[in-house]
Amino acid sequence: MFKNLDPLLHSQVRLAIMTILLNSKSAEFSFLLEKIDTTKGNLSFQITKLKEANYISVKKSFRNNYPLTTLQITETGINAYENYIASITDYFNKSKQNQ
């Protein structure tokens, strides 16, 4: 039987955000926007979804009078990401077994 995939992480932009944060522990909005092929509005929307699930924390501040948004992955987010990777790996492994 296949494991359920986390629908929150089964989105290209949200998965990209989580992957970047997992490897860097924190990142600024502008950095994510540069690395992920999406719009500011979509990135903001996806960040909100991850924040509501407590997968990431969002800190808003200012740098030289300009807004600065910094994101950090939470322990809940790390666990969700690791479970998602284990589940999707299981799909691939079962696919290989059926060949």
Side-chain angles (χ1 to χ4, degrees):
M1 175 161 287
F2 290 102
K3 297 179 183 178
N4 288 333
L5 296 177
D6 184 338
L8 201 60
L9 295 179
H10 205 64
S11 151
Q12 182 176 344
V13 173
R14 290 191 295 257
L15 187 59
I17 293 167
M18 294 294 286
T19 301
I20 291 169
L21 292 177
L22 187 72
N23 291 310
S24 63
K25 297 300 178 196
S26 71
E28 295 176 5
F29 182 91
S30 59
F31 177 79
L32 293 173
L33 190 60
E34 179 184 312
K35 297 296 180 188
I36 301 170
D37 186 26
T38 192
T39 64
K40 287 181 182 179
N42 188 38
L43 183 58
S44 292
F45 179 80
Q46 304 306 338
I47 287 170
T48 299
K49 290 288 190 186
L50 292 170
K51 180 183 175 190
E52 289 172 350
N54 194 34
Y55 286 6
I56 63 171
S57 63
V58 178
K59 179 183 172 191
K60 296 194 177 264
S61 60
F62 288 90
R63 180 190 294 153
N64 299 325
N65 291 329
Y66 291 98
L68 177 65
T69 302
T70 306
L71 297 87
Q72 189 170 11
I73 194 166
T74 64
E75 194 65 37
T76 301
I78 292 169
N79 292 335
Y81 186 90
E82 289 173 349
N83 288 336
Y84 180 83
I85 295 302
S87 295
I88 199 87
T89 299
D90 190 50
Y91 275 73
F92 295 135
N93 289 338
K94 285 184 176 161
S95 172
K96 288 179 184 177
Q97 292 171 0
N98 291 330
Q99 291 181 355

